[in-house]
Amino acid sequence: MTIRIFATGGTFDKEYNERDGSLFFQDTHVTEMLRKGRCRAPVEVRTLMMIDSLEMTDDDRATILDNCLRCPHERIVITHGTDTMETTARLLGPAIADKTVVLVGAMVPYTFGSSDGLFNLGAAVAFAQTLPHGVYVAMNGRVFDWDNVRKNKEIGEFTELR
């Protein structure tokens, strides 16, 4: 059972510019993260885009959906920025019934060393292997249904809507 991982950017993949303090994208860190985490699950990593989710457009989300629908694998993990992850989940949820899709992100960039990204990615890979078909959001050891999740900015965590 191969798991396809689609990288889209977000805090997961941000780099820090030491000269001016800005954050930018270069390439995905997912392959390195899987290696460091000693992942032995069969995975294939594909980069779809490297953008901040606040800049993600409806066309970008359509690209994610199209890639999920055309993917030959039943198990998919999508790395995504946390600010609009729930928006993408709400597009994918009603459209994907025959696959298990797990969206995952990080609150702190992986390159900062104190990131939650490595843990979140490992959890997402595990959830993708074990959950029934459907669309989910995985953050900080928890998993949420696509239609029952929000980023609670007051406490800095994902929570259920109801």
Side-chain angles (χ1 to χ4, degrees):
M1 166 185 17
T2 300
I3 301 165
R4 172 69 53 84
I5 300 177
F6 289 127
T8 69
T11 300
F12 230 79
D13 285 316
K14 286 185 176 176
E15 300 273 351
Y16 179 70
N17 182 330
E18 294 176 5
R19 289 186 221 177
D20 65 12
S22 64
L23 297 172
F24 67 97
F25 294 101
Q26 191 166 337
D27 197 5
T28 186
H29 301 296
V30 170
T31 302
E32 176 185 346
M33 294 168 78
L34 293 167
R35 183 184 54 75
K36 279 190 173 181
R38 298 177 52 84
C39 178
R40 298 297 178 253
V43 299
E44 293 177 357
V45 179
R46 299 275 195 282
T47 300
L48 298 183
M49 59 198 73
M50 284 283 111
I51 60 175
D52 187 298
S53 71
L54 289 172
E55 297 174 4
M56 192 173 279
T57 66
D58 290 344
D59 287 341
D60 295 326
R61 286 187 179 80
T63 296
I64 294 169
L65 174 59
D66 181 59
N67 276 272
C68 287
L69 293 173
R70 290 188 300 110
C71 181
H73 305 297
E74 284 185 40
R75 309 291 174 167
I76 300 170
V77 170
I78 302 169
T79 65
H80 196 290
T82 60
D83 285 315
T84 67
M85 192 163 30
E86 61 204 59
T87 304
T88 301
R90 284 184 180 82
L91 172 72
L92 302 179
I96 300 174
D98 61 345
K99 298 178 185 198
T100 301
V101 179
V102 180
L103 289 91
V104 64
M107 300 299 244
V108 178
Y110 167 71
T111 56
F112 283 21
S114 60
S115 176
D116 54 335
L118 193 59
F119 177 80
N120 291 345
L121 179 61
V125 169
F127 286 136
Q129 292 177 82
T130 57
L131 287 171
H133 289 168
V135 176
Y136 306 91
V137 170
M139 286 294 294
N140 306 109
R142 297 187 66 195
V143 66
F144 305 92
D145 291 328
W146 64 269
D147 61 348
N148 190 25
V149 63
R150 74 179 180 108
K151 181 179 180 180
N152 185 330
K153 294 179 183 180
E154 292 176 17
I155 63 172
E157 295 178 11
F158 279 76
T159 58
E160 294 176 330
L161 290 173
R162 51 190 181 278

